[in-house]
């Protein structure tokens, strides 16, 4: 039975999509069957895994709003064992269209249920908001991975997200756990980065991953070429960090 991990933080620009794409690719290279669900209308995870968004006929939008079968929306990627359900700009309107649907917070959970058997990990890339689709992702997930950018305001958004997680646990998904806090855009030369690591570590202790994702130009270059960094530059810091993260998650879940 696969584990569903939502990658969420309502603060933009913390590296959610970069983490989703590269963690998924690393898990697949480590011989895990992985599905990425792009639940962000910007569809960056889709294009970052080489999907031409203009040619997508069936996306997560149709699955959520029209009840289309998720298995039919799955698209292969360049990496063996890694597949994706792409997103579409139409997803922007999905929240309004879903308002009148019965059990609207649990639609994504129902969509993904038939696929759980086929994958070891299902990673959901959430949009930078706490709207209905993110609530759906957190309701469908077994755990949530929270990327935290190493910058001064990083901790501000966390309390809001933790509050949302608490509400979802009490009302919709009692089994939701925190997979871990992942420090991204880490620059070890900066004293601030080290201070933030300590600040996150203090209250959250073992929930903070040992792996940190260092600042790395290759990561953003790879996305613009529609590839995970593993295919773009396997020796780069970005590739090695994500591989280390994948190993840490596998060990934690074994």
């Amino acid at each position: 039975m696969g584990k569903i991990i939502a990658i969420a933080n309502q603060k933009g620009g913390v590296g959610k999509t970069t983490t989703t794409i590269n963690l998924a690719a690393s898990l697949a290279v480590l011989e895990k069957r992985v599905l990425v669900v792009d639940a962000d209308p910007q569809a960056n995870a889709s294009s970052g895994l080489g999907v031409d968004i203009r040619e997508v006929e069936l996306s997560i939008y149709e699955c959520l709003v029209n009840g289309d079968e998720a298995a039919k929306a799955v698209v292969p990627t360049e990496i063996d064992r890694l597949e994706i359900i792409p997103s579409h700009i139409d997803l922007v309107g999905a929240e309004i269209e879903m308002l009148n649907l019965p059990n609207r917070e649990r639609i994504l959970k129902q969509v993904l249920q038939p696929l759980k058997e086929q994958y070891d990990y299902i990673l959901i890339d959430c949009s930078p908001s706490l709207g209905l689709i993110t609530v759906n992702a957190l309701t469908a997930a077994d755990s949530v991975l929270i990327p935290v950018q190493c910058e001064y305001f990083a901790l501000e958004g966390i309390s809001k997200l933790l509050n949302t997680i608490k509400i979802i646990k009490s009302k919709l998904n009692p089994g939701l756990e925190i997979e871990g806090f992942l420090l991204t855009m880490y620059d070890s030369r900066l004293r601030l980065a080290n201070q933030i690591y300590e600040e996150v570590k203090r209250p959250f202790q073992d929930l903070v991953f040992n792996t940190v994702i260092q600042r790395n130009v290759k990561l953003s270059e790879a996305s613009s070429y529609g590839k995970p960094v593993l295919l773009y530059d396997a020796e780069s810091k970005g590739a090695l960090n994500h591989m280390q993260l994948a190993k840490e998650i596998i060990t934690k879940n074994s």
Side-chain angles (χ1 to χ4, degrees):
M1 193 68 147
K3 181 170 195 181
I4 301 181
I5 303 176
I7 293 161
N9 188 335
Q10 79 282 6
K11 198 171 182 308
V14 296
K16 283 188 294 292
T17 302
T18 304
T19 302
T20 306
I21 292 170
N22 293 296
L23 171 58
S26 303
L27 286 166
V29 166
L30 293 168
E31 304 199 339
K32 300 294 177 190
R33 294 160 306 161
V34 186
L35 176 69
V36 168
V37 178
D38 190 351
D40 183 350
Q42 293 174 50
N44 292 337
S46 305
S47 49
L49 283 173
V51 175
D52 185 343
I53 310 161
R54 292 161 305 187
E55 289 181 7
V56 169
E57 286 175 21
L58 207 55
S59 70
I60 193 66
Y61 168 81
E62 283 80 15
C63 300
L64 291 170
V65 175
N66 305 336
D68 281 329
E69 214 177 301
K72 291 180 179 162
V74 172
V75 176
T77 69
E78 274 185 82
I79 292 183
D80 283 349
R81 291 179 292 274
L82 173 56
E83 297 178 319
I84 181 169
I85 296 181
S87 181
H88 195 277
I89 190 68
D90 288 351
L91 199 58
V92 170
E95 303 215 337
I96 296 164
E97 295 177 64
M98 287 161 73
L99 282 177
N100 298 323
L101 295 175
N103 241 348
R104 61 187 182 200
E105 295 88 359
R106 293 190 172 86
I107 297 172
L108 185 57
K109 186 182 173 87
Q110 291 157 2
V111 164
L112 296 179
Q113 199 57 45
L115 294 178
K116 267 189 106 167
E117 293 290 334
Q118 297 167 38
Y119 297 95
D120 297 305
Y121 292 96
I122 296 177
L123 305 184
I124 307 175
D125 185 29
C126 299
S127 70
S129 79
L130 292 176
L132 185 55
I133 290 176
T134 301
V135 168
N136 261 270
L138 294 172
T139 306
D142 298 303
S143 66
V144 53
L145 187 156
I146 304 167
V148 181
Q149 189 181 352
C150 285
E151 53 139 72
Y152 189 66
F153 295 113
L155 296 171
E156 275 195 350
I158 291 182
S159 57
K160 204 181 260 184
L161 180 63
L162 290 177
N163 198 35
T164 305
I165 291 170
K166 200 168 141 192
I167 293 166
I168 284 171
K169 272 188 82 139
S170 68
K171 295 193 162 47
L172 295 162
N173 182 4
L176 184 64
E177 299 290 334
I178 290 175
E179 187 70 31
F181 293 88
L182 173 70
L183 285 142
T184 62
M185 304 177 202
Y186 182 85
D187 186 340
S188 53
R189 295 168 305 181
L190 297 179
R191 207 169 74 213
L192 178 67
N194 295 310
Q195 280 173 347
I196 284 163
Y197 186 81
E198 291 308 319
E199 252 182 83
V200 177
K201 192 84 179 158
R202 207 174 304 124
F204 301 118
Q205 306 278 325
D206 296 344
L207 286 175
V208 181
F209 286 108
N210 295 324
T211 306
V212 293
I213 307 296
Q214 290 161 292
R215 270 198 185 281
N216 184 239
V217 176
K218 293 281 192 279
L219 276 173
S220 33
E221 282 178 6
S223 305
S224 65
Y225 283 100
K227 291 177 185 297
V229 70
L230 268 175
L231 293 181
Y232 181 72
D233 183 349
E235 297 300 309
S236 67
K237 264 187 194 155
L240 298 172
N241 289 165
H242 283 94
M243 192 54 97
Q244 200 180 336
L245 174 65
K247 287 175 181 166
E248 199 174 335
I249 285 176
I250 290 169
T251 305
K252 193 175 172 183
N253 287 293
S254 56

